[in-house]
Amino acid sequence: VYTHSYTCYGKNEAEKQVLATLAQRSTAYIENPCFPQDYESQIPAREIFGSLCTAAKRPANYNPKKLISFIGTGDPALCRAVVRSIFNFSSCEGKKECSFNG
C-alpha cells in the first residue's frame, strides 16, 4: 500500500485556502458559492489564516479574533472555479512525473 500526503491540500487545509481566497474581499458578508444558499457562518480569522498554508493570504489588518462572515450562494459552477483557483495545474506541463503545484 502506497500513500502520499500533499501538504496544504488535505480536506481541512484546502477548505481554509478556499475561505482565505474568498476572504480577500472586504465586505460585511462574503459570498461563498460552496455553502448552501442563504447558509450563514461566522468564522474567526485565526481558523482561516492561522495556518502556514494560508499565512500568505493574511490581510494587512489581520486580527486573529475578528469574525469573518460568510453567506452561502449555493453555486456549484462558481464553487468549482474557486476550488480550482487554489491549485496551479500548469506547473506540471511537460513533466513526466509531477503532482499539482509542482
Side-chain angles (χ1 to χ4, degrees), residues 11-66:
K11 180 217 172 275
N12 294 338
E13 291 301 320
E15 181 179 22
K16 288 177 189 177
Q17 287 195 60
V18 167
L19 293 173
T21 297
L22 293 171
Q24 300 303 304
R25 306 173 191 149
S26 57
T27 60
Y29 274 90
I30 299 165
E31 291 184 349
N32 185 335
C34 302
F35 284 173
Q37 187 170 5
D38 298 326
Y39 173 79
E40 295 182 24
S41 179
Q42 291 189 323
I43 303 171
R46 76 176 162 279
E47 289 186 22
I48 298 170
F49 297 107
S51 165
L52 292 176
C53 301
T54 57
K57 294 182 179 180
R58 284 182 189 151
N61 61 347
Y62 173 64
N63 175 353
K65 295 179 182 178
K66 178 184 178 191

